Structure formats: structure tokens, C-alpha cells
Amino acid sequence: MPDLTISAPAMLRAGQLTGPGTVTVRDGRITDVADGPGAGGAESIVLDSGVLTPGLMDLQNNGSFGADFADATPEQWTEVLTGLAVRGVTGLEPTIITAPLDELNLAFDRAKVARDAHVDLPVCRILGVHLEGPFISEARKGAHRAECMLDPTQEALDELLGNGATREVLLTVTLAPERDHALEAIRRLVAAGIIVSVGHSDATAEEVWAAADAGATMTTHIFNAQRPFSHREPGVPGAVLADPRYFIGTIIDGQHVDPAVVQIVFAAAPGRVVGVTDAIVTAGLPNHTPLMFGGQPVTNDEHGLGRRDNGTIAGAGIVLDEAVRRMIAAGMDPATVIASSTEVAARSLGRTDIGHIAAGALADLVWWDEDWHPQRVWVGGAEVAVS
């Protein structure tokens, strides 16, 4: 007897909207996906409209709902993970930005505690932590503190990876490959099972390709805080778009990158674009709420974009479901947009057990209405209380 069956008129599978179809769930995992409507019954949910998709995954999110993942309290972690799940985000790489190494290790300690405390609850999953900095370029610092940046020396990596919690939860490191010792650091991190992403970088295309030779496979927010594209020097954007070894993190809030440029990125690198928010503490809160992020003041402007007092963009002030709606409203194909934050995101992590409606995958699912608002959400087959 299955734990649950969910039938929907349409669902996202292999990057396409197909349907109708029925998903069978047992012990928190999908055991079968069948064409056609289900037979009904006490264990069945029949959705008569909308689309069923995998749960969204935000692989670059610095915080939301007033919490900064660098120093969030246990109560804030619970609030954020619950709030994201309600909005259809079932997987998360909490992102911690440039800070002194000892402060970073403390943040990793707290992230591990939060992950372990919520592992069996129907809230957004912590997939691992994304460390954005401090091994990045002062020339492309964005909202990061230049005084805390440093080269990725063996000693610096020893200090990070020597902390047990850091080593256990660290999943991705964003670095600038042009820094001294960067290529050796990439090789060491990749050998340890950590994903290396090129970002906040003034690297030339040749340096970006050398990073891929060393094992880098990801790009952090293409076009933002990196050497720009030029017809004679492709810079970071041109290098990663041309190189199939790279997945391409792209902020899809419609503010960091114009929607027309987002469409160019998707067209140039089909199946490699990972849609993210780069959300910060202001996400999910009313605009103009003054907060602190990365040790400096920040607030959302009238467009929901987080800015420093001097106008520098600090991150997105929206949750990923809103980013999906913005891209669809700009004319993008809904299946392609959602796949970028589900199926493609999972592939960028080397995982097949999340981000897919397929047998064997965790039953993290979202039912969207016709206007692309999440109506019901399941994490491991357990329904999230959406109100």
C-alpha cells in the first residue's frame, strides 16, 4: 500500500511539462511516475489544475526573512527554513560571504547545528553551505569587505578545513582563479569533494579555462561582480558560456541581470543555467526595511533589490518563487525557468536524488496554480503547512 499518490494534469519531467501523470510516494521517496490520472482512493491526492514540479532549490541565498545565515540564531534558522518551504523552496545552499576565517568557521558551526536540528522536519533542506569569499578579487568585490579578502593559500585552507563542522557542511566555494595559489586551491577543494565556483573575479578567459582544467565546474552570478564580456576578451561571462564544463549560476530576480540578457544566457548554455536569487536578509520582508548584512547596513529599494547606503547592490530582496514568476512574466518558458532551479541545479551538485520527479528521488514537490504561485508543498512526502 503506497503512502501517497499525487495526480496532476501537468508535471515537470526532464525539462518538459508533460501530463497528466501520477506520482507514487513511499517512505519519503518517489517510487513510480506513471502517465495518466491516478485511480483515486484514500491515499490519493488529485490536483485538478496547475502544475506539479520538483521543489525549488536556491543554491545561492545569503538569508531571508530578516536572518543573515552568517550569524542566524536557531530561531531564525527555523523561521527561514519554514518560510522558504512555504514558498516552494525545498532545498537550500545557505551562503556565507567574506569575513575573517575564524568568523566563517563559527558560521559553519551554526549551520551544521541548524542542518542537524531540521533534518527530519518538513522544512527546506540544508543541502550544504556555499562559501562566497574570502578568496575573491578586490577589483570585483561587490558588497564584500575588501579588507577581509585573502589568497587561498594552503594555510588558509588548513584553517577552514581543519574545523570539523566546516569540513562536514561545506559544499561550494566561490573564488577568483586569478589570485595567487588559486589553482592549487581548486585542485585541493575538488579532491575533497567540494564544488568550486568562479566568481567575484577579474580573471581573463584563459584564467577561467585554467580553473576548469583544475576542476572548477560552477559560475557565481554571471555578469555580476566579474570581468565583463568583450568581443576580444571574453572575460568571465564569455569564458563560462563557451565552456561546457561550467554550470552557470544566474540571478533571476530581473534586477541583477536584465531579463533579455537572462534569455541570452539560457539560449547560449541550454541545460547548464542554474537560476538563483542571491537573496539577502531583506528577502520576504517589506521594501525599505533597514537591516544589517555582512557587517554593513542594507535595505530593499522600491524594486525589491537590496542595496547598501551608497547604492551598491547587495543582493536580491525576493524569494525564488517570485523570481520564477518574474522570468515567466518576461516571456521565458516556464518549464525552462523551473528546471533551472530544480533539475539543472541538482545536476550541478552531482545529485540525482533531489530536483527530479523520478523514481528514487526524494518526494520534494510543489503544486503551482495557473499564475505560478505555490499552492501545496511536500518535503519528503510530508506536506508543508502553506497558509
Side-chain angles (χ1 to χ4, degrees):
M1 190 72 176
D3 294 338
L4 176 69
T5 64
I6 305 173
S7 297
M11 62 177 60
L12 179 68
R13 296 179 66 188
Q16 302 292 325
L17 293 181
T18 65
T22 300
V23 176
T24 302
V25 177
R26 186 188 299 274
D27 296 329
R29 289 185 180 270
I30 298 170
T31 59
D32 185 62
V33 183
D35 294 330
E43 302 288 339
S44 297
I45 296 172
V46 179
L47 308 174
D48 58 5
S49 62
V51 177
L52 187 70
T53 75
L56 299 173
M57 294 185 292
D58 198 346
L59 304 191
Q60 189 178 1
N61 184 316
N62 307 275
S64 301
F65 304 105
D68 181 346
F69 292 136
D71 59 7
T73 65
E75 294 76 18
Q76 286 177 317
W77 277 105
T78 297
E79 182 177 359
V80 170
L81 296 176
T82 301
L84 290 175
V86 168
R87 301 283 291 270
V89 184
T90 61
L92 171 71
E93 268 197 81
T95 302
I96 298 170
I97 69 169
T98 299
L101 294 178
D102 57 344
E103 292 182 17
L104 293 174
N105 278 329
L106 289 174
F108 279 102
D109 290 341
R110 290 187 289 267
K112 179 184 180 300
V113 170
R115 184 200 65 179
D116 294 346
H118 296 90
V119 69
D120 293 322
L121 299 176
V123 299
C124 181
R125 301 178 188 273
I126 296 178
L127 304 174
V129 176
H130 181 165
L131 176 58
E132 188 183 356
F135 312 123
I136 57 177
S137 169
E138 293 91 342
R140 304 290 176 181
K141 65 185 179 65
H144 292 238
R145 290 182 287 171
E147 68 272 16
C148 297
M149 296 175 189
L150 68 159
D151 292 326
T153 62
Q154 293 302 306
E155 294 76 16
L157 292 183
D158 286 343
E159 186 171 345
L160 275 175
L161 300 180
N163 181 53
T166 301
R167 183 63 195 88
E168 185 172 339
V169 300
L170 180 59
L171 181 56
T172 301
V173 172
T174 289
L175 56 71
E178 72 274 19
R179 290 203 74 119
D180 289 344
H181 309 287
L183 296 183
E184 305 98 288
I186 293 170
R187 286 188 282 266
R188 178 176 175 182
L189 291 166
V190 171
I194 296 165
I195 296 163
V196 174
S197 185
V198 172
H200 284 275
S201 170
D202 199 40
T204 64
E206 291 293 339
E207 289 170 322
V208 174
W209 292 326
D213 292 340
T217 57
M218 191 71 194
T219 318
T220 296
H221 50 51
I222 188 170
F223 289 109
N224 292 113
Q226 54 194 226
R227 179 188 287 261
F229 174 82
S230 173
H231 63 298
R232 291 195 179 93
E233 166 47 59
V236 178
V240 299
L241 287 171
D243 190 334
R245 294 175 292 181
Y246 278 104
F247 287 93
I248 301 170
T250 305
I251 302 174
I252 57 172
D253 67 342
Q255 302 289 323
H256 282 76
V257 184
D258 188 275
V261 178
V262 174
Q263 294 189 52
I264 292 171
V265 172
F266 272 85
R272 293 194 287 127
V273 181
V274 178
V276 300
T277 61
D278 197 20
I280 59 173
V281 295
T282 56
L285 299 178
N287 292 340
H288 308 295
T289 302
L291 293 166
M292 296 292 291
F293 170 60
Q296 301 176 72
V298 69
T299 187
N300 274 3
D301 65 15
E302 63 273 16
H303 303 294
L305 184 61
R307 292 186 182 273
R308 298 296 192 196
D309 288 348
N310 64 2
T312 299
I313 294 174
I318 62 170
V319 180
L320 190 52
D321 66 315
E322 171 63 19
V324 166
R325 287 190 292 276
R326 289 184 180 187
M327 292 299 100
I328 293 172
M332 293 193 66
D333 172 54
T336 301
V337 174
I338 296 177
S340 76
S341 298
T342 56
E343 297 171 348
V344 181
R347 288 200 300 273
S348 78
L349 302 180
R351 295 186 62 171
T352 59
D353 62 328
I354 53 176
H356 295 80
I357 295 181
L362 291 164
D364 299 347
L365 301 165
V366 179
W367 174 40
W368 305 77
D369 67 15
E370 291 86 348
D371 296 320
W372 301 103
H373 290 270
Q375 296 301 297
R376 298 177 75 170
V377 180
W378 296 264
V379 176
E383 187 160 6
V384 175
V386 176
S387 59

